[in-house]
Amino acid sequence: MSRAYRIQLSEEVSREIVAEDEARSRLDVLEIVSPEETAGLLRAELLRRGFQEQADGTLSREQESSVVTVDPCTGEATVKVAARKDVTVKKTREATVWDDAAETRTGSESRARDALRSDLERSLERSADKLQDQACRELEKLLAELQPELAEVANAVTRAALKAKAARMGKVLDIREDERTGDLTIKVEV
Amino acid sequence: MTHAAAAITSFEADLIRLLRALLGHEPIERAVMLVREVRPLPRGLSASAVWIVEDVLAKSTIRFLLEGGGWRAGPFLRSGKPLAGHPWTTVAEAERRLQFSPILAAFLMWLTSQRPSTAQGGWAGTSRPLTAADQLTFARCALVLQHVPAEWLALRKTAPFAGNPFLALLGPHLLADANAAAIDFNSLFMPPASLMIECLQDRLEQAWHECDRALGAEADWVQLRHRGRMMEDLTSEFLASADAAGRRDLTEFLLKVIRKRLTPDAAITDWTGSLAGTGPRRRADRQATQHAALGIVRAIRTFDRWNRGEQGVGYFDEGYAASQHFKAMYEANDGPRLKLHFDRIERTLDPLAKESA
């Protein structure tokens, strides 16, 4: 006569989960001076705001888990966010095995263990999805914060380019800037 | 010999029927039926059958070119200068002669005798170069063979179809896994291929318009990204080849497609409105899909860059006539306004732009 036993299986998995997201944008800089001169003005403005020059000619600024990179030659800005988390998932599963045949017993145990491992993988996937959503939310928040700053950068570069152009046109008599409205008036004697 | 009265075998009769069906002169159902049948392969074709095949190819090709836009008179660029007239009246006879090689006959014999999906080893293809007329004919065959999916699947990667520049233009949707760099567009800008492209402008406009609309009907995010990128690569390669050959005028069909799509009220949803669900979790993937969806109309940037370059060509400069010709074409198709519409749509994809969606 065969007898049924209940066995309890337990597995634990620890894994580092990584999630990242990014968005690309282009700074709205007007073509007032040559592209090379515009790139120089953009580089100077970004350095003033804490960006660091990289070996490939781009400028980037790191903040905790995010990196903002701007290519001064093309005006292309990339905002990247990365999140890491160590996750440990532990699960227990019970299975019924019969003692009449060793093959049946090991087979039932093996199937139960496979199901347990699938459960663990699904849990890890859910954790990864949550982390990914968190990275996306962080990116959206960062983009909202960056929008006014990068608009200011574009304005500053445009103002600098206008001044450089005016200086080449003749003698600059007067420059008036309205901080509030962003108006810029340059009087030039040509 | 009176060819009309000459006798042909039943195999030859089937081959001619198949050829006519593949060229669109018979219902697609007949092509489907004929392609699926298997017949014993004869050692060769009789002189009468060869004569009929040549006659069908010659008349059908001319008709295809005329109906595709060849009826329209130019001006067309000849040695860098616009010349009034039809494509074939503005070149020497030697340049407009269409030559079909025996490869076509060999393919037709094989296709009549075999069912591609079950044939052992498939069609061996050929390492010999195809003429422009051969390539155009193979491209036309592909447009019909696509309606027999199992057979087309067995043929699409063989030599006359994979990398066929006419097929890339007439049926870009058929090159699902195409590597744009592997398509030799440069060969299209020498006669008689360049004359064919001049004649096919209407047909190409229709094919690419449908292709762009199909992007807008795609529901799968990954598929749209894949297809959009492929179309952008194809477009870029074609434009680069046209530019290198000094034949920017042959790209007008693309400008007309862009004109149809970039209307004043066009929005990104015209290309992404059919996508199912909220899309991938990553914002980067969603943005990449939206970016890829504009793969064809993004060509307006190249047209705009060309136009700006042409503005600097003076009356006494080399290429002045060709630059005037291009500028007239760009203006006639409302190029500057199209660029503004494109910039407006692309700004809505920019996460840092004030107008972003």
Side-chain angles (χ1 to χ4, degrees):
Chain A
M1 197 176 82
S2 58
R3 280 184 295 181
Y5 289 87
R6 289 188 76 76
I7 59 166
Q8 195 177 54
L9 300 168
S10 184
E11 289 249 355
E12 185 180 296
V13 178
S14 292
R15 200 174 288 175
E16 184 191 37
I17 299 172
V18 181
E20 52 86 26
D21 206 350
E22 67 176 62
R24 288 171 187 275
S25 175
R26 194 175 289 272
L27 295 187
D28 206 4
V29 180
L30 299 176
E31 288 176 31
I32 295 164
V33 289
S34 69
E36 294 77 17
E37 202 173 347
T38 306
L41 295 170
L42 182 54
R43 184 179 284 111
E45 181 63 24
L46 291 168
L47 287 171
R48 198 176 70 75
R49 288 170 181 266
F51 281 74
Q52 308 266 313
E53 193 138 21
Q54 304 300 310
D56 60 358
T58 60
L59 292 112
S60 65
R61 188 174 70 192
E62 285 191 42
Q63 282 175 325
E64 295 174 12
S65 59
S66 68
V67 186
V68 183
T69 307
V70 180
D71 183 341
C73 298
T74 61
E76 191 173 295
T78 310
V79 186
K80 286 187 183 177
V81 166
R84 288 170 187 277
K85 194 177 179 185
D86 288 318
V87 179
T88 301
V89 186
K90 187 176 178 182
K91 285 211 179 270
T92 306
R93 195 181 182 95
E94 285 190 345
T96 306
V97 296
W98 300 86
D99 70 346
D100 55 347
E103 275 179 31
T104 316
R105 197 166 59 236
T106 51
S108 303
E109 190 178 327
S110 167
R111 277 194 297 278
R113 197 168 289 283
D114 286 347
L116 182 60
R117 284 179 184 153
S118 296
D119 277 356
L120 286 171
E121 281 303 321
R122 276 196 293 275
S123 293
L124 285 170
E125 276 173 24
R126 278 195 294 274
S127 300
D129 286 347
K130 271 187 192 169
L131 194 67
Q132 184 60 59
D133 290 343
Q134 188 187 319
C136 290
R137 281 194 300 274
E138 268 181 48
L139 179 65
E140 295 296 343
K141 194 175 149 204
L142 187 63
L143 288 171
E145 287 167 7
L146 271 174
Q147 189 181 32
E149 187 188 0
L150 291 182
E152 274 175 31
V153 168
N155 283 340
V157 171
T158 306
R159 281 199 300 272
L162 280 170
K163 287 173 191 170
K165 181 97 175 179
R168 276 204 290 276
M169 286 168 69
K171 189 180 171 189
V172 177
L173 298 177
D174 185 28
I175 297 178
R176 281 184 197 171
E177 288 184 73
D178 188 327
E179 293 272 324
R180 192 176 54 82
T181 62
D183 284 354
L184 172 67
T185 310
I186 305 174
K187 279 189 184 169
V188 186
E189 187 180 271
V190 289
Chain B
M1 186 168 66
T2 310
H3 293 287
I8 54 171
T9 65
S10 65
F11 178 89
E12 290 168 343
D14 283 343
L15 183 145
I16 291 160
R17 267 198 290 271
L18 177 62
L19 173 61
R20 285 182 52 77
L22 291 177
L23 296 178
H25 303 303
E26 303 273 347
I28 284 172
E29 293 72 26
R30 173 161 285 185
V32 172
M33 188 188 72
L34 289 165
V35 167
R36 284 179 179 160
E37 282 178 22
V38 176
R39 303 164 189 82
L41 180 68
R43 294 181 68 182
L45 297 177
S46 66
S48 302
V50 171
W51 184 86
I52 297 171
V53 167
E54 284 176 348
D55 190 55
V56 170
L57 282 173
K59 287 175 180 164
S60 173
T61 304
I62 296 299
R63 185 175 161 183
F64 184 75
L65 292 172
L66 281 175
E67 288 177 351
W71 55 271
R72 193 176 283 120
F76 297 100
L77 274 191
R78 297 288 177 260
S79 307
K81 290 189 176 126
L83 201 62
H86 287 96
W88 60 91
T89 61
T90 48
V91 290
E93 189 183 341
E95 289 190 336
R96 66 173 188 250
R97 186 172 293 139
L98 299 181
Q99 288 182 315
F100 298 95
S101 71
I103 299 163
L104 260 178
F107 173 72
L108 286 169
M109 283 183 71
W110 178 83
L111 193 61
T112 311
S113 66
Q114 299 284 339
R115 184 173 178 172
S117 59
T118 55
Q120 291 244 321
W123 191 48
T126 175
S127 56
R128 290 168 66 181
L130 299 172
T131 66
D134 287 342
Q135 286 183 323
L136 177 64
T137 308
F138 275 114
R140 293 176 63 194
C141 290
L143 295 177
V144 174
L145 285 167
Q146 64 168 314
H147 299 291
V148 204
E151 316 309 325
W152 170 237
L153 209 62
L155 286 168
R156 61 192 291 200
K157 288 190 177 161
T158 55
F161 300 106
N164 183 326
F166 280 102
L167 181 56
L169 293 184
L170 286 166
H173 61 288
L174 295 177
L175 301 168
D177 309 314
N179 173 12
I183 295 167
D184 178 21
F185 283 121
N186 293 332
S187 64
L188 293 179
F189 298 100
M190 286 179 291
S194 58
L195 299 180
M196 295 180 191
I197 299 296
E198 284 172 352
C199 288
L200 290 171
Q201 289 289 311
D202 289 359
R203 210 176 281 275
L204 295 177
E205 181 189 335
Q206 189 187 349
W208 282 72
H209 184 233
E210 281 170 15
C211 203
D212 194 53
R213 284 177 64 88
L215 287 179
E218 180 60 59
D220 185 274
W221 287 74
V222 177
Q223 270 297 316
L224 178 58
R225 191 178 347 161
H226 172 74
R227 287 173 53 198
R229 280 179 180 166
M230 196 196 83
M231 295 311 300
E232 185 166 358
D233 288 349
L234 273 182
T235 313
S236 303
E237 287 289 330
F238 176 70
L239 292 177
S241 296
D243 188 28
R247 292 304 306 268
R248 292 174 175 180
D249 57 311
L250 292 184
T251 62
E252 188 174 12
F253 71 91
L254 268 174
L255 201 48
K256 287 185 172 172
V257 171
I258 296 169
R259 188 183 184 182
K260 278 184 182 167
R261 297 290 277 154
L262 289 179
T263 52
D265 55 350
I268 185 62
T269 47
D270 293 348
W271 287 268
T272 59
S274 300
L275 287 170
T278 52
R281 280 198 136 79
R282 291 175 74 240
R283 186 189 220 285
D285 293 334
R286 294 194 298 274
Q287 194 181 4
T289 303
Q290 291 169 325
H291 182 87
L294 299 172
I296 294 176
V297 293
R298 187 167 288 107
I300 191 63
R301 276 191 184 162
T302 305
F303 284 110
D304 182 66
R305 181 165 51 79
W306 287 352
N307 186 55
R308 276 185 280 136
E310 303 289 20
Q311 303 285 351
V313 179
Y315 184 72
F316 294 106
D317 292 336
E318 198 181 334
Y320 175 73
S323 89
Q324 290 295 101
H325 187 65
F326 174 80
K327 283 190 288 185
M329 175 182 110
Y330 190 66
E331 286 290 332
N333 285 292
D334 228 0
R337 200 180 295 268
L338 299 182
K339 173 69 168 44
L340 290 178
H341 293 325
F342 179 76
D343 287 345
R344 171 179 54 77
I345 293 170
E346 213 174 43
R347 258 199 307 277
T348 64
L349 301 183
D350 191 329
L352 291 173
K354 280 178 186 167
E355 302 94 328
S356 66

